[in-house]
Amino acid sequence: VPVGEAIGDDPAQWQRQDAWLAEGVVPGPGRYRAMAEQALRDLDALVLDNGASLAAGSPYWRYVWPRDASFTAAALSRTGHPDDAHAVLAYLARMQERSTERGVLQARYLPDGSGGVP
């Protein structure tokens, strides 16, 4: 399912996300648990195979902000998805390596991994 499109009634996508959630832990007591689960589903949908963590699926926000991506990595790590967290941090490291100024990250990057800055 492309980012920005709802999973809808596709049972395969729901089963994949259900399995992914089961690999980790959904935090939160009682009434907050459903909110935490939906937030994790959103993060899962917004992290691409190359580790790019998108701010949102809409064309206006379909970029990777290092600050936001680092929070995503922290949330994924904390909830038992260390490989996904590592992929996000590895993406950021690749962007940093492409920077003309050593050790600098730009405000946002294109999600294709090119290092392009909009």
Side-chain angles (χ1 to χ4, degrees):
V1 174
V3 171
E5 291 183 21
I7 290 176
D9 294 327
D10 182 355
Q13 287 296 327
W14 281 104
Q15 288 172 351
R16 189 202 63 76
Q17 267 202 342
D18 288 345
W20 179 82
L21 282 171
E23 291 172 6
V25 62
V26 177
R31 66 181 184 182
Y32 297 111
R33 185 174 173 80
M35 181 177 64
E37 180 179 319
Q38 186 57 55
L40 283 171
R41 286 181 185 277
D42 290 344
L43 291 179
D44 177 54
L46 291 169
V47 175
L48 305 182
D49 290 342
N50 68 354
S53 175
L54 304 178
S58 78
Y60 299 110
W61 295 101
R62 195 177 163 84
Y63 301 108
V64 179
W65 275 260
R67 176 200 61 203
D68 298 351
S70 66
F71 281 111
T72 296
L76 293 171
S77 178
R78 180 81 176 165
T79 57
H81 303 284
D83 293 340
D84 296 313
H86 181 266
V88 171
L89 295 176
Y91 173 91
L92 293 175
R94 290 190 304 275
M95 296 309 99
Q96 191 175 39
E97 289 170 1
R98 288 181 171 88
S99 176
T100 57
E101 297 179 47
R102 188 176 189 138
V104 172
L105 286 167
Q106 298 299 319
R108 64 183 178 175
Y109 292 96
L110 297 172
D112 64 3
S114 68
V117 179

